[in-house]
Amino acid sequence: MSRIGNRELKIPVGVEVTIQPNNVIVKGAKGQLEQAIPSVITVAAKEGVVTTTRANDVKHSKQLHGTINSLIQGMLEGVSKGFKKELEINGVGYRAALDGDKLTLSLGYSHTIEYKIPQGITITLPKPTQIIVEGISKQLVGEVAENIRNYRKPEPYKGKGVKNKNEHIIRKEGKSAGK
């Protein structure tokens, strides 16, 4: 029994769900998202509720049941509210700047890093050391935030690098003076 797959998902106000044989399309105020549906999963939308059912009790079908239900929930939330990830840059001289559809990062390397912002993602910089990634696709927002973070992950001695806003970096003690 899949508890996640058996959830009934409420459709938010102003969101339209269209179900095709192997596809689900969700339209809302912020945009439109599509998701391919495997043939063993059936999606139904009626009376403001989306439900998913599986054709059989094979292990793979059970796994897909919960996954598809969670993906549809993310789509419903994304087109109505959207998703947001906040990153902080720590380090002397470390900063970010926007240049059209490119994010320019100075992270202590001998060169600047230019990151092309994918379509469907909005990046804002309230301060040169703070990056806010927003969009309607949960997966794309998380992927972009992680790609930016991977350019310079925070190191444990001084904490320099790009980190998530509420991430706690476990600090290490440096070398101690000899004898």
Side-chain angles (χ1 to χ4, degrees), residues 106-142:
S106 299
L107 298 175
Y109 297 117
S110 61
H111 60 284
T112 58
I113 298 164
E114 288 191 352
Y115 179 77
K116 187 172 181 337
I117 301 169
Q119 191 159 359
I121 293 293
T122 306
I123 292 183
T124 54
L125 302 173
K127 296 184 231 172
T129 59
Q130 189 176 4
I131 302 170
I132 298 175
V133 181
E134 295 177 296
I136 61 171
S137 171
K138 187 175 190 176
Q139 186 248 335
L140 190 57
V141 168

Side-chain angles (χ1 to χ4, degrees), residues 151-164:
Y151 285 121
R152 176 76 83 171
K153 287 186 178 180
E155 52 94 15
Y157 296 101
K158 292 184 180 178
K160 298 186 332 183
V162 181
K163 67 175 191 136
N164 292 319

Side-chain angles (χ1 to χ4, degrees), residues 2-177:
S2 171
R3 293 187 187 137
I4 299 286
N6 290 333
R7 285 185 306 192
E8 291 185 343
L9 307 172
K10 293 181 182 169
I11 300 174
V13 177
V15 175
E16 178 185 326
V17 177
T18 307
I19 298 170
Q20 297 172 346
N22 290 327
N23 206 13
V24 172
I25 301 170
V26 179
K27 294 180 187 175
K30 294 194 175 260
Q32 172 179 324
L33 291 172
E34 290 186 38
Q35 177 63 47
I37 304 296
S39 58
V40 295
I41 305 296
T42 306
V43 180
K46 50 188 156 200
E47 300 172 10
V49 174
V50 176
T51 56
T52 56
T53 54
R54 62 180 183 262
N56 54 40
D57 285 339
V58 177
K59 183 177 181 181
H60 185 65
S61 298
K62 290 179 181 181
Q63 294 167 341
L64 285 174
H65 190 204
T67 300
I68 295 299
N69 193 292
S70 293
L71 289 174
I72 293 171
Q73 182 185 22
M75 293 167 60
L76 292 170
E77 188 177 337
V79 297
S80 60
K81 297 178 195 168
F83 293 100
K84 175 166 91 169
K85 289 258 186 180
E86 296 183 33
L87 302 170
E88 290 178 350
I89 303 174
N90 294 327
V92 177
Y94 289 18
R95 67 179 60 86
L98 278 175
D99 183 29
D101 67 339
K102 290 183 183 173
L103 178 68
T104 305
L105 300 164
S106 299
L107 298 175
Y109 297 117
S110 61
H111 60 284
T112 58
I113 298 164
E114 288 191 352
Y115 179 77
K116 187 172 181 337
I117 301 169
Q119 191 159 359
I121 293 293
T122 306
I123 292 183
T124 54
L125 302 173
K127 296 184 231 172
T129 59
Q130 189 176 4
I131 302 170
I132 298 175
V133 181
E134 295 177 296
I136 61 171
S137 171
K138 187 175 190 176
Q139 186 248 335
L140 190 57
V141 168
E143 184 179 334
V144 168
E146 191 61 25
N147 286 343
I148 293 169
R149 184 179 182 274
N150 283 337
Y151 285 121
R152 176 76 83 171
K153 287 186 178 180
E155 52 94 15
Y157 296 101
K158 292 184 180 178
K160 298 186 332 183
V162 181
K163 67 175 191 136
N164 292 319
K165 184 176 182 183
N166 295 324
E167 182 179 5
H168 177 69
I169 306 299
I170 298 173
R171 304 295 282 272
K172 290 184 180 178
E173 187 177 325
K175 281 187 179 179
S176 58

